[in-house]
Amino acid sequence: MKLNLKSLTELEQFAQKFAHALKKGSCVTLHGELGTGKTTFIALVGKYLNVTEYITSPTFTLVNKYQGKMEIYHLDLYRINSETDLYNMDIEYYFRKKNALVFVEWAEKLESFYPQEYLKIEIEFGENNTRIFQITAQGPKYEDFIQRLNTVDN
Ligand SMILES: Nc1ncnc2c1ncn2[C@@H]1O[C@H](COP(=O)(O)OP(=O)(O)OP(=O)(O)O)[C@@H](O)[C@H]1O
Ligand SMILES: [Mg+2]
């Protein structure tokens, strides 16, 4: 699915809907240039999953963990330089979590470490400071998610 989000308000409305359609055990990857709003989106989804802590990018730690309606892991791979780094941080540990929700920022760095199934969100700059979200299911589980997203009521 493709969306054009014209403001932070529209982004927040979508984040709310997205949060309500999500189930634990999901993995969401975020792709897009610096400043497209990957962290902002994760923070807003977290807000609607009842995270009270301030969600910010885990730049130095690589991973932040939050407790909301479910356990949330926010991985930021910006500083990852090689697959050895991914191996050393035991990235697959997070993908095995059945009761958590995992967000991966700068997911293009995953290379051979991509999980079997995931929801892919690509963000681009549109005209007049808007954002274009392209959301694709990688695997049947996330095709169901996109269906739910299209039908969910806030
Ligand atoms: N849909 C939107 N409309 C307008 N502004 C937005 C939108 N989404 C994010 N922004 C603004 O863009 C800026 C950068 O956002 P953010 O830090 O979330 O980007 P990022 O993709 O995580 O960047 P980085 O690659 O550095 O981690 C913030 O000031 C945020 O308020
Ligand atoms: Mg960020």
Side-chain angles (χ1 to χ4, degrees), residues 2-147:
K2 197 167 183 165
L3 295 165
N4 193 348
L5 300 169
K6 296 186 181 65
S7 62
L8 282 173
T9 312
E10 281 194 15
L11 179 72
E12 178 151 2
Q13 281 163 354
F14 176 65
Q16 181 176 20
K17 200 170 146 174
F18 189 91
H20 290 161
L22 270 176
K23 289 190 176 159
K24 54 189 180 179
S26 299
C27 177
V28 179
T29 67
L30 291 111
H31 309 249
E33 285 173 48
L34 281 169
T36 42
K38 302 179 290 296
T39 305
T40 307
F41 180 66
I42 295 166
L44 287 170
V45 173
K47 174 178 165 185
Y48 289 100
L49 291 172
N50 304 337
V51 175
T52 50
E53 247 179 292
Y54 178 64
I55 298 183
T56 178
S57 238
T59 313
F60 295 100
T61 49
L62 298 173
V63 185
N64 278 349
K65 182 179 171 185
Y66 300 99
Q67 186 64 53
K69 228 161 76 176
M70 53 187 105
E71 206 167 64
I72 300 170
Y73 290 89
H74 178 185
L75 282 65
D76 190 331
L77 306 183
Y78 184 67
R79 294 155 69 90
I80 291 286
N81 294 315
S82 66
E83 294 202 309
T84 309
D85 290 348
L86 294 171
Y87 178 80
N88 289 338
M89 74 182 281
D90 194 10
I91 191 139
E92 288 173 328
Y93 163 81
Y94 303 98
F95 300 152
R96 283 194 296 270
K97 292 206 164 277
K98 296 274 180 287
N99 293 314
L101 181 60
V102 180
F103 288 104
V104 187
E105 221 175 299
W106 287 100
E108 37 279 270
K109 305 247 184 143
L110 283 170
E111 299 189 35
S112 65
F113 283 89
Y114 271 101
Q116 247 179 3
E117 292 189 71
Y118 57 97
L119 186 79
K120 182 175 189 180
I121 302 186
E122 293 164 283
I123 315 177
E124 284 176 16
F125 292 110
E127 282 178 10
N128 302 318
N129 204 32
T130 61
R131 300 293 193 278
I132 299 153
F133 273 56
Q134 175 82 53
I135 304 181
T136 33
Q138 305 290 331
K141 176 169 149 187
Y142 295 97
E143 279 163 24
D144 287 354
F145 171 80
I146 291 181
Q147 291 262 313

